[in-house]
Amino acid sequence: MYGNISIVDTPQQQVQEDPELLAAFEAKIARGEKIEPHDWMPAEYRRQLIRMIEQHAHSEIIGSLPEGTWITRAPGFKRKIALMAKVQDEVGHAQLLYSAAETLGKPREAMIDDLISGKSKYSNVFNYPAYTWADTAIIAWLIDASAIINQVTNSKGSYAPYSRALERICMEESFHLKYGYDNVVTLATGTAVQRQMVQEALNRWWRPIMHFFGPPDKASVHTEKLTKWKVKMASNDDMRQQFFNQYVPKILELGLVIPDPELRKDPATGIWNYGDPDWDEFKRVINGDGPCNAERLAVRRIAEERGRWVREALRKADERYVTPLA
Ligand code: BYC
């Protein structure tokens, strides 16, 4: 219970919804209308949205860390400025998304607590290290590209505050993608050492990027419900296929090798077939056992601790402002 809004925390806490209200809600969604925070919604719709938007917000804030470690080491002043702006944008996206999730009744403090205690998930990809400058280039090009595919699609979804946040985020992400592509092109058309560096980075990130779109549809837990309620506007496999369609030709054009010998488009169906990207690794990483999970959460815990006095000061100033003068 947060304030006067009761939040169902687990799917086990079944709520018997009023059938008339539920039917009206589903008809509204079927007509393509948006749901606003004050509108009636089923408890499960609220729970699913909080889960997904909160995970997305955490992904943005944790996602700023792998690239953030390169701000002090960026090759050249202009690239440093560009990277600083990108990292700042990602943190801003987290703010927009936490605000969107708050409209559903869960306070930001509770979301942050669930992140740093390890209760909430965030995107698998940010639990891997950025060893070289080329890793940052691959992140900014291909992870931002993957995020854009996901976000442009879901910005057409039913929950208005999430749609609005996604539209705004995508505008900034499209700059990130251009910045990342420019860095990859520089390396891929550079010296032999630079080409090797970017190829090795692609080898490291390809599998995590396959995982980014979520488990195969047949193993996805939430897709059916989220698609019915137009929160997810395409399945995990459909978005992964869209990524292949758009980016495999661009990667090959740069003379890079995709580290999956089985990746091939079936000319009859137009479907890309690919080798097993190791779904066991995906499960381990999203459940806390990736190469950098502990480090990422430790950084967030320190930030939370160090920022406590600022939040306290703001809260006190706020209280003083709203307390009527004696
Ligand atoms: N990573 O039933 P499924 C960025 C979990 S940041 C971790 O298919 P769903 C950027 C899933 O949560 C943008 N966990 O789930 C930032 C569920 O677990 P729970 C990040 C994953 O929700 C900085 C379980 O697996 N984008 O671009 O239907 C720098 C079963 O999965 C992942 C978003 O967050 C994963 N990849 O679909 C640069 C997008 N995949 O909750 C760039 C918002 C699945 O039952 N999220 N799981 O314990 C979504 O669109 C959807 O939640 C997903 C998964 C497509 C990711």
Side-chain angles (χ1 to χ4, degrees), residues 48 51-53 55-57 59-64 67 86 90 93 121-126 139-140 143-144 146-148 150-151 154 162 173 176 208 211-216 219-223 226 232 236 239 282 286-287:
Q48 284 284 353
R51 179 191 67 83
M52 193 165 137
I53 304 174
Q55 285 181 10
H56 191 166
S59 303
E60 299 280 358
I61 209 152
I62 297 276
S64 67
E67 288 172 281
K86 178 182 190 300
E90 306 297 1
H93 298 168
K121 289 193 171 67
Y122 56 86
S123 186
N124 67 300
V125 279
F126 304 118
I139 294 173
I143 295 184
D144 280 79
S146 306
I148 289 175
N150 170 288
Q151 290 161 184
N154 288 341
Y162 191 38
E173 300 282 36
H176 300 170
H211 298 160
F212 177 88
F213 296 94
S220 169
V221 188
H222 306 293
T223 298
L226 291 178
K232 254 171 115 163
N236 301 353
M239 295 214 201
F282 167 73
I286 67 168
N287 287 309

Side-chain angles (χ1 to χ4, degrees), residues 31-300:
R31 289 194 299 273
E33 289 172 35
K34 300 271 188 194
I35 306 298
E36 292 287 350
H38 53 263
D39 293 336
W40 185 89
M41 62 185 82
E44 180 59 7
Y45 178 81
R46 185 185 299 277
R47 184 185 79 84
Q48 284 284 353
L49 275 169
I50 292 175
R51 179 191 67 83
M52 193 165 137
I53 304 174
E54 179 181 353
Q55 285 181 10
H56 191 166
H58 297 331
S59 303
E60 299 280 358
I61 209 152
I62 297 276
S64 67
L65 298 177
E67 288 172 281
T69 59
W70 277 91
I71 291 176
T72 52
R73 297 173 285 168
F77 185 59
K78 282 192 179 154
R79 289 199 184 89
K80 190 192 284 284
I81 295 176
L83 179 58
M84 258 161 59
K86 178 182 190 300
V87 167
Q88 202 171 334
D89 282 354
E90 306 297 1
V91 177
H93 298 168
Q95 303 297 348
L96 284 173
L97 290 160
Y98 283 127
S99 298
E102 278 181 316
T103 63
L104 293 151
K106 184 166 178 180
R108 188 176 299 219
E109 294 73 18
M111 292 188 253
I112 301 291
D113 284 349
D114 287 349
L115 169 66
I116 59 184
S117 72
K119 185 177 168 200
S120 286
K121 289 193 171 67
Y122 56 86
S123 186
N124 67 300
V125 279
F126 304 118
N127 289 307
Y128 293 85
Y131 286 127
T132 69
W133 174 250
D135 292 273
T136 69
I138 294 289
I139 294 173
W141 184 31
L142 294 180
I143 295 184
D144 280 79
S146 306
I148 289 175
I149 289 173
N150 170 288
Q151 290 161 184
V152 167
T153 310
N154 288 341
S155 69
K156 315 282 185 303
S158 61
Y159 190 57
Y162 191 38
S163 301
R164 287 192 283 266
L166 292 182
E167 276 170 15
R168 184 152 164 207
I169 289 170
C170 284
M171 287 181 203
E172 292 184 353
E173 300 282 36
S174 53
F175 278 100
H176 300 170
L177 180 137
K178 287 193 173 75
Y179 152 85
Y181 182 61
D182 184 61
N183 282 335
V184 170
V185 169
T186 304
L187 294 169
T189 56
T191 64
V193 172
Q194 286 174 317
R195 284 201 300 280
Q196 187 186 343
M197 207 162 83
V198 73
Q199 178 64 59
E200 286 173 0
L202 179 65
N203 297 349
R204 279 193 285 278
W205 288 95
W206 185 255
R207 229 179 31 254
I209 291 172
M210 294 300 89
H211 298 160
F212 177 88
F213 296 94
D217 290 353
K218 60 180 185 308
S220 169
V221 188
H222 306 293
T223 298
E224 193 182 333
K225 199 178 288 171
L226 291 178
T227 308
K228 183 177 90 173
W229 282 334
K230 295 193 182 169
V231 172
K232 254 171 115 163
M233 302 300 280
S235 76
N236 301 353
D237 284 336
D238 287 347
M239 295 214 201
R240 202 167 6 249
Q241 289 289 325
Q242 196 184 328
F243 173 81
F244 290 137
N245 281 334
Q246 285 180 243
Y247 288 92
V248 167
K250 292 189 207 296
I251 295 169
L252 298 179
E253 199 175 275
L254 292 173
L256 295 169
V257 178
I258 294 176
D260 178 359
E262 291 175 49
L263 184 71
R264 189 157 293 116
K265 193 175 194 172
D266 181 336
T269 60
I271 303 273
W272 287 88
N273 294 312
Y274 48 96
D276 176 17
D278 192 352
W279 289 111
D280 287 338
E281 174 180 325
F282 167 73
K283 281 185 212 144
R284 278 197 308 279
V285 171
I286 67 168
N287 287 309
D289 189 18
C292 297
N293 297 57
E295 182 187 325
R296 300 286 184 244
L297 290 189
V299 171
R300 286 315 312 160

